Amino acid sequence: MTTKTSEATQAPEKNGGGSKNLAMEIMGVTKQFGSNVAVNNVTFDVRRGEVLGFLGPNGSGKSTTMRLITSFYTPDSGEILIEGLDNQQYDKETRAMIGYLPENNPLYGDLLVKEYLNYVADLRGLTGAVRRENISVAVDETGIQEVFYKPVSTCSKGYRQRTGLAGAILHQPDILIMDEPTEGLDPNQRVPIRELIRKMGEERTVMLSTHVLPEVEEVCDRLIIIRRGNIVAEGTPNELRDRAMSQSHVILEVEGQGVEKALDAMDFIESYEVDPSTNGRRRYKISVATDIDIRPELYKLAKNNDWMLWELHHEALSLGELFRTLTDESMDTPVAE
């Protein structure tokens, strides 16, 4: 990669107050808007060279957290270190270390793509040979040669995202933060953007926000799931997948009378969902509050009540189902890890 901007090289010595292996440290950060606690005492870190997926439903606190990291917002409490520097104390310096693509890609439709990138270069203070080299590298890395001389307004959604991404990396930051980079793209457009994100993660630290699991499973080294401003799970895709596999339901399909009354009377059944009746049969998805295999008890229950037993087996959660469980907005309190 080419030389960093003068803005970045003037920053104080990196990692003055943090771990040498960490690009970002978020420590006990809270942000409140009126009575709404958008981010609640959040703590996590991002290792250098890591691609981190930041997942959660709409309104979970993803964008607020990213705006806190990029200094668009100031936390009410807590501390954020970027390469060891406090982003409140060293605001300008830490901003220079980060490339940021917000959810609403801020482009100017009446400019040519070339003019837009030169405008961003002006804002970043890039001049001379460094400016020309950085623009060339950003264009090549994002693959926007085809639209370089076209108005932004005539570009497809995919190319507009690429153009915004080129602007975000124009000053060649070591950290790239993207908020919902594939939002609004059709399935065919999402694939090349995912591939582009994977490629960019080979040379820099990346934090990627989304509420769509397939967007991060293929490209991320680690995932953090947030709900209502609280982190509810963290781990590699495989670790979270293993966690999902360990949380199983029992599927019971029977034909008979008094089934739900009998299930309600069983203490170890936490809850169940019922599928509509089919030919007199009903199918139950049962969650249990114990690690004990309850299938023998359910078999005895069916036998004693003279039910016709059609199906009885364990069904493990998928990663998507785990995500939906952890981010269920009907829950009153965050799920403990």
Side-chain angles (χ1 to χ4, degrees):
M1 298 180 71
T2 58
T3 305
K4 301 290 188 295
T5 68
S6 58
E7 182 181 32
T9 56
Q10 291 175 356
E13 183 180 354
K14 294 180 182 181
N15 297 298
S19 169
K20 293 183 179 180
N21 295 323
L22 299 179
M24 296 184 283
E25 298 170 76
I26 293 80
M27 298 176 286
V29 169
T30 294
K31 183 64 179 179
Q32 187 167 345
F33 299 97
S35 61
N36 176 40
V37 181
V39 176
N40 184 25
N41 194 31
V42 162
T43 297
F44 66 92
D45 55 52
V46 185
R47 294 182 285 272
R48 281 184 172 179
E50 180 177 46
V51 180
L52 176 72
F54 198 49
L55 287 78
N58 292 332
S60 61
K62 301 189 307 295
S63 294
T64 299
T65 301
M66 290 187 156
R67 289 168 186 166
L68 288 164
I69 293 172
T70 54
S71 299
F72 279 78
Y73 291 154
T74 300
D76 298 330
S77 61
E79 187 178 15
I80 299 172
L81 302 184
I82 307 298
E83 293 286 1
L85 301 178
D86 188 310
N87 76 338
Q88 295 179 70
Q89 183 178 358
Y90 296 101
D91 176 64
K92 182 178 178 181
E93 293 84 355
T94 54
R95 284 176 186 258
M97 297 174 185
I98 297 173
Y100 178 42
L101 181 66
E103 182 177 1
N104 298 315
N105 194 354
L107 300 175
Y108 296 93
D110 55 341
L111 296 180
L112 303 179
V113 170
K114 173 186 175 181
E115 292 172 332
Y116 170 75
L117 293 181
N118 275 281
Y119 171 66
V120 174
D122 287 339
L123 296 178
R124 286 291 181 182
L126 297 174
T127 59
V130 171
R131 178 193 187 104
R132 291 190 295 274
E133 176 68 12
N134 283 19
I135 290 177
S136 177
V137 169
V139 169
D140 288 343
E141 192 168 356
T142 55
I144 57 173
Q145 298 91 337
E146 181 179 332
V147 298
F148 188 61
Y149 296 103
K150 293 184 178 180
V152 171
S153 61
T154 66
C155 295
S156 67
K157 175 69 173 177
Y159 272 118
R160 288 199 296 273
Q161 287 296 86
R162 289 172 177 265
T163 299
L165 199 49
I169 64 171
L170 197 60
H171 59 301
Q172 296 196 7
D174 289 329
I175 299 170
L176 177 61
I177 295 179
M178 294 178 283
D179 192 359
E180 302 281 2
T182 61
E183 184 69 18
L185 299 181
D186 65 39
N188 291 332
Q189 293 170 328
R190 286 175 182 266
V191 173
I193 293 296
R194 285 205 299 265
E195 293 173 351
L196 182 58
I197 293 169
R198 186 187 299 112
K199 178 183 175 183
M200 289 190 162
E202 295 175 357
E203 297 187 1
R204 52 178 66 84
T205 302
V206 175
M207 183 176 179
L208 164 67
S209 132
T210 183
H211 59 274
V212 182
L213 270 173
E215 301 297 336
V216 295
E217 284 190 84
E218 295 182 6
V219 300
C220 292
D221 303 310
R222 188 162 57 97
L223 308 178
I224 289 176
I225 300 177
I226 187 171
R227 180 180 69 83
R228 293 187 180 179
N230 296 274
I231 292 178
V232 294
E234 180 177 352
T236 66
N238 283 339
E239 287 170 346
L240 292 182
R241 197 174 289 110
D242 289 344
R243 176 176 172 178
M245 292 293 290
S246 69
Q247 298 185 24
S248 62
H249 295 98
V250 174
I251 302 300
L252 171 69
E253 186 174 3
V254 294
E255 181 179 351
Q257 300 296 318
V259 177
E260 291 173 23
K261 183 178 179 180
L263 294 179
D264 290 338
M266 301 182 79
D267 293 336
F268 47 74
I269 291 181
E270 199 170 58
S271 63
Y272 57 83
E273 300 174 9
V274 189
D275 286 344
S277 298
T278 303
N279 298 325
R281 307 197 303 259
R282 305 198 77 182
R283 194 170 188 267
Y284 298 85
K285 185 176 183 179
I286 302 171
S287 299
V288 297
T290 177
D291 293 332
I292 299 174
D293 189 346
I294 67 165
R295 288 177 297 173
E297 294 299 321
L298 292 174
Y299 175 78
K300 291 177 185 177
L301 191 66
K303 184 177 179 180
N304 293 338
N305 286 276
D306 199 27
W307 299 335
M308 177 66 72
L309 183 60
W310 289 91
E311 187 176 356
L312 179 60
H313 66 89
H314 276 298
E315 182 177 79
L317 287 179
S318 66
L319 188 54
E321 288 171 324
L322 177 65
F323 173 76
R324 287 190 292 273
T325 298
L326 292 171
T327 60
D328 186 354
E329 291 298 322
S330 67
M331 300 173 69
D332 294 327
T333 57
V335 179
E337 177 68 2

